[in-house]
């Protein structure tokens, strides 16, 4: 089996627990992401999603294990891995446009000033920020607009891997919907590989090619990898009518509500902890899709 | 009618009323010199007709101010220079000592703010040196430097360094980790991170420290010049006291206040320029 574009191998994170012992957040987590894939990771708070993201971003060091991208080991932050933080992380003393050119200049240092600005404006326009708005400071923008700027900054840099850390967590439901659509649009036009943390099941189904499910921590593991068998382009109003939608959704709800607890706290025993691949497809002939929600799971080991 | 006035207008009106009332009370409280004709013969014989030294009324101070400010840069020998020259000397000393202090305090503050080790290593020295009255350094400075002018500048240096140092370190240490992470994910070099992320993020705190420092430096220069002598507004105040010219003393006190206010206002403008809202 060929190596995936991004390969996470036996990743382990332990923290001191404050009483002289160690707290294992997760151990020997092993999974891969293909080029151009949009992967969401779902799990309860404290299961280590953000830790995995920080390791992928190079902002944190794992206790052991490696992350390989394109065959090379990842160490430290890099422009090849763009990050959209939950709290936008725009620089408040710079205008919207300058926040994007800041990133573009870092990525393409030999571009002329005019080219940098044109490129930044192009990406701001993709998320619906045009005209005088680009000269406003982040404090003069709404939360939704700020996150759009942050997304534009990340996409404008053409990173090989884009990491989104709960990008819509702080937004109201309506704004969230609009920006999800914009994210899909901008992603559709690129070959961008995306890894996203979210708490929102519907958001994950709408956006992702594959959803990774994490059990509760400590000793959390990436237990399942659920393929979203709904064809693109997807639309939030039509997607719910697809026969697979509720089957997948029920599976996710059931996992997060119950099985994430049951599967938690099992030490790896030194073995690779790979997620079980799950594909739910109700469009297939009916004998493969009985009523029992556990039965239609087609478990395939990688 | 009062409803049509804005808050600013009301405040300005009230300020003017307070000024006028204050000046009138001051003017009225000064006992007038008795005219020679009203004195008894005994009083005249005992020198009662000679003018008494007393606190001058505001009208005299205003007259003095007009006289001095209409020709601020005259120079009629070592003990008779215009108020503009004296203030000029003081400002020159303050700014020299102040900028030398900034050149040391801001880079050092950056270092202390960025590194836990540097913070802990420098902290005991800062804590001991900071509460020392700047004038206590004066004898040592005079002995070592052997130059009164340079000693005054040194005293300004030593008093303005602490607020700038502490505020810079505090501002740099308090830069949000998110912004530093933005710099890291954009692969900025440490120098570039310092100038494009940490400096603008910490600038409001640093400028606040600089503003406190310039205020302290202006307070200290008056006392330092009283000790060192020769030129400067502090020396001028002390010299006029020796001349028993209280009108000039009051006038120069007011001038010290006005210049201090202008220095502070300049840093206020700078502070607004670097301020940002999160």
């Amino acid at each position: 089996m060929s190596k995936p574009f991004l390969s996470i191998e036996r990743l382990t994170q332990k923290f001191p627990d404050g009483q002289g012992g160690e707290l294992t957040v997760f151990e020997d987590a092993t999974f891969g992401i293909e080029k151009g894939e949009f992967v969401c990771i779902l799990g309860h708070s404290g299961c280590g999603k953000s830790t995995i993201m920080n390791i992928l971003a190079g902002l944190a060091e794992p206790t052991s294990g490696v992350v390989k991208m394109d065959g090379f080991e990842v160490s430290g932050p890099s422009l090849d891995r763009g990050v959209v933080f939950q709290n936008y992380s725009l620089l408040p003393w710079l205008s919207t446009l300058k926040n994007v050119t800041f990133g573009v200049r870092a990525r393409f240092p030999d571009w002329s000033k005019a080219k940098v600005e044109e490129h930044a404006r192009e990406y701001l326009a993709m998320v619906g920020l045009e005209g005088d708005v680009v000269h406003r400071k982040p404090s003069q923008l709404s939360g939704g607009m700020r996150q759009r700027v942050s997304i534009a900054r990340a996409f404008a840099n053409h990173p090989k891997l884009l990491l989104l850390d709960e990008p819509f967590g702080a937004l109201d439901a309506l704004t969230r919907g609009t920006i999800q659509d914009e994210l899909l649009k901008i992603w559709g036009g690129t070959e961008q590989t995306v890894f996203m943390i979210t708490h929102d099941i519907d958001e994950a189904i709408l956006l992702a090619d594959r959803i990774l499910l994490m059990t509760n921590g400590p000793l959390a593991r990436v237990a399942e990898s659920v393929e979203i068998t709904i064809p693109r382009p997807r639309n939030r109003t039509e997607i719910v009518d697809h026969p697979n939608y509720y089957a997948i959704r029920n599976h996710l709800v059931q996992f997060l509500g119950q099985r994430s607890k049951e599967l938690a706290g099992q030490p790896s025993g030194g073995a690779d902890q790979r997620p079980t691949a799950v594909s739910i497809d109700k469009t297939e002939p009916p004998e493969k899709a009985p009523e029992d929600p556990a039965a239609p799971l087609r478990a395939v080991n990688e | 009618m009062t409803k049509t006035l804005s808050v600013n207008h009301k405040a300005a009106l009230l300020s003017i009323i307070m000024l006028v009332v204050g000046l009138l009370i001051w003017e009225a409280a000064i006992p007038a010199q008795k005219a020679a004709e009203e004195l008894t013969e005994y009083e005249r014989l005992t020198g009662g007709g000679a003018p008494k030294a007393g606190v001058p009324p505001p009208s005299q101070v205003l007259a003095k101010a007009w006289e001095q400010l209409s020709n601020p840069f005259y120079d009629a020998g070592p003990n008779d220079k215009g108020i503009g020259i004296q203030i000029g000397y003081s400002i020159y000393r303050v700014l020299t000592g102040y900028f030398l202090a900034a050149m040391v305090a801001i880079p050092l503050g950056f270092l202390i703010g960025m590194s836990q080790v540097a913070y802990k290593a420098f902290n005991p020295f800062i804590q001991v040196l900071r509460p020392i009255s700047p004038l206590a350094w004066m004898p040592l400075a005079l002995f070592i430097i052997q130059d009164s002018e340079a000693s005054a500048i040194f005293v300004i240096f030593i008093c303005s360094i602490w607020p700038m140092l502490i505020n810079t370190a505090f501002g740099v240490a308090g830069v949000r980790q998110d912004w530093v992470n933005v710099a890291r994910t954009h692969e900025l070099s440490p120098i570039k991170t310092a100038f494009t992320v940490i400096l603008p993020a910490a600038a409001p705190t640093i400028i606040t420290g600089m503003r406190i420092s310039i205020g302290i430096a202006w307070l200290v220069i008056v006392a330092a010049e009283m000790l060192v002598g020769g030129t400067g507004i502090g020396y001028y105040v002390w010299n006029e006291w020796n001349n028993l010219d209280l009108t000039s003393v009051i006038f120069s006190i007011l001038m010290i206040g006005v210049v201090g206010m202008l220095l502070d206002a300049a840093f206020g403008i700078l502070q607004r320029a670097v301020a940002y809202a999160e």
Side-chain angles (χ1 to χ4, degrees):
Chain A
M1 195 172 73
S2 71
K3 285 247 175 178
F5 167 68
L6 180 77
S7 130
I8 287 94
E9 294 167 15
R10 303 180 65 97
L11 210 59
T12 303
Q13 183 73 58
K14 292 175 178 170
F15 291 121
D17 64 1
Q19 289 146 27
E22 270 187 334
L23 181 78
T24 306
V25 186
F26 47 80
E27 58 182 356
D28 296 321
T30 305
F31 60 95
I33 295 174
E34 296 300 334
K35 201 172 179 80
E37 215 180 3
F38 196 130
V39 175
C40 281
I41 188 159
L42 270 173
H44 288 276
S45 302
C47 69
K49 301 186 298 290
S50 292
T51 311
I52 290 183
M53 167 135 311
N54 283 336
I55 292 168
L56 293 185
L59 295 170
E61 286 279 318
T63 309
S64 68
V66 289
V67 175
K68 283 184 188 160
M69 190 164 79
D70 251 354
F72 293 100
E73 193 175 327
V74 159
S75 71
S78 151
L79 280 160
D80 283 340
R81 280 162 281 125
V83 190
V84 173
F85 298 94
Q86 184 181 5
N87 48 17
Y88 328 129
S89 287
L90 299 173
L91 304 176
W93 54 89
L94 296 179
S95 70
T96 299
L97 181 62
K98 292 266 171 65
N99 260 292
V100 180
T101 56
F102 170 89
V104 178
R105 263 214 318 272
R107 179 70 173 173
F108 308 104
D110 46 347
W111 280 13
S112 72
K113 220 176 161 184
K115 192 173 181 194
V116 166
E117 191 174 317
E118 189 196 319
H119 187 78
R121 280 181 189 273
E122 187 190 324
Y123 276 84
L124 280 167
M126 279 188 210
V127 290
L129 295 171
E130 284 174 284
D132 284 345
V133 181
V134 301
H135 297 298
R136 287 204 216 153
K137 296 273 168 72
S139 58
Q140 296 164 306
L141 300 176
S142 66
M145 284 162 113
R146 287 185 209 181
Q147 195 55 287
R148 285 189 174 102
V149 180
S150 187
I151 289 169
R153 179 173 68 186
F155 272 94
N157 275 4
H158 302 307
K160 287 184 182 165
L161 172 68
L162 185 60
L163 301 162
L164 306 174
D165 187 357
E166 278 189 65
F168 312 124
L171 303 178
D172 65 89
L174 291 175
T175 314
R176 185 188 288 217
T178 336
I179 304 187
Q180 283 165 1
D181 291 342
E182 269 160 11
L183 179 64
L184 271 183
K185 208 173 69 197
I186 194 170
W187 177 74
T190 57
E191 290 291 292
Q192 195 67 65
T193 312
V194 181
F195 182 77
M196 171 167 155
I197 294 182
T198 178
H199 276 131
D200 184 334
I201 292 174
D202 296 303
E203 177 176 283
I205 299 175
L206 174 68
L207 298 174
D209 292 319
R210 204 147 58 84
I211 297 177
L212 297 174
L213 292 170
M214 274 190 95
T215 65
N216 292 0
L219 283 171
R221 50 184 288 230
V222 181
E224 282 186 8
S225 155
V226 181
E227 191 188 334
I228 306 302
T229 47
I230 300 174
R232 293 184 190 269
R234 298 177 193 153
N235 178 306
R236 73 180 53 261
T237 46
E238 289 161 17
I239 190 175
V240 292
D241 297 328
H242 194 276
N244 290 345
Y245 184 82
Y246 281 103
I248 294 170
R249 192 174 192 282
N250 290 344
H251 179 78
L252 299 178
V253 169
Q254 199 234 1
F255 180 93
L256 290 175
Q258 199 183 344
R259 289 174 49 230
S260 65
K261 272 189 272 291
E262 292 166 5
L263 292 171
Q266 297 165 1
S268 68
D272 291 6
Q273 301 272 51
R274 286 176 190 278
T276 318
V278 174
S279 177
I280 302 168
D281 198 347
K282 293 240 175 181
T283 56
E284 286 176 35
E287 68 264 25
K288 282 192 177 178
E291 290 301 295
D292 180 8
L297 310 183
R298 182 156 50 84
V300 182
N301 285 313
E302 269 187 58
Chain B
M1 184 218 157
T2 48
K3 276 187 181 168
T4 58
L5 289 174
S6 75
V7 174
N8 285 343
H9 284 119
K10 282 186 206 167
L13 193 66
L14 194 59
S15 293
I16 291 168
I17 292 171
M18 285 196 285
L19 179 68
V20 171
V21 170
L23 290 177
L24 285 176
I25 292 173
W26 178 6
E27 186 86 40
I30 310 294
Q33 297 279 351
K34 281 185 184 173
E37 300 84 62
E38 292 169 18
L39 297 173
T40 61
E41 193 173 358
Y42 175 73
E43 278 175 324
R44 267 199 300 271
L45 285 169
T46 53
K52 270 188 203 151
V55 177
S59 51
Q60 275 185 38
V61 176
L62 281 176
K64 184 81 189 173
W66 179 253
E67 177 202 324
Q68 284 282 348
L69 292 176
S70 54
N71 184 15
F73 298 111
Y74 76 89
D75 188 351
N79 275 339
D80 193 8
K81 293 187 203 302
I83 187 82
I85 292 182
Q86 304 287 23
I87 289 177
Y89 273 113
S90 298
I91 290 178
Y92 154 73
R93 288 184 189 125
V94 163
L95 293 185
T96 310
Y98 180 79
F99 281 112
L100 289 173
M103 278 161 59
V104 176
I106 293 174
L108 196 61
F110 247 82
L111 179 70
I112 295 174
M114 301 258 258
S115 148
Q116 283 272 321
V117 177
Y119 174 80
K120 291 198 167 159
F122 277 100
N123 195 40
F125 299 102
I126 295 173
Q127 295 309 331
V128 169
L129 295 176
R130 193 171 57 104
I132 298 171
S133 163
L135 294 175
W137 292 99
M138 186 63 99
L140 193 62
L142 284 169
F143 178 76
I144 293 173
I145 303 174
Q146 306 256 322
D147 178 76
S148 64
E149 177 78 25
S151 299
I153 291 171
F154 172 78
V155 167
I156 296 303
F157 169 84
I158 205 81
C159 79
S160 27
I161 200 165
W162 309 116
M164 283 196 268
L165 183 63
I166 291 165
N167 266 49
T168 304
F170 184 73
V172 168
V175 172
R176 288 240 312 258
Q177 190 56 41
D178 300 332
W179 300 334
V180 178
N181 282 345
V182 168
R184 290 179 65 198
T185 54
H186 285 91
E187 285 186 44
L188 297 192
S189 66
I191 297 288
K192 218 157 176 224
T193 305
F195 280 101
T196 58
V197 176
I198 294 173
L199 188 62
T205 323
I206 296 174
I207 301 290
T208 303
M210 294 178 78
R211 197 175 176 182
I212 297 170
S213 277
I214 197 83
I216 293 177
W218 188 245
L219 290 179
V220 168
I221 193 65
V222 175
E225 285 171 346
M226 283 179 178
L227 282 174
V228 173
T231 47
I233 189 75
Y235 166 73
Y236 179 79
V237 174
W238 203 250
N239 197 34
E240 296 305 326
W241 159 241
N242 285 336
N243 294 340
L244 224 57
D245 182 355
L246 284 171
T247 319
S248 292
V249 169
I250 294 173
F251 166 65
S252 45
I253 288 173
L254 289 175
M255 287 310 293
I256 293 170
V258 169
V259 174
M261 184 184 76
L262 292 176
L263 287 173
D264 187 65
F267 277 88
I269 292 168
L270 200 56
Q271 206 167 22
R272 274 194 295 282
V274 299
Y276 58 83
E278 277 185 42

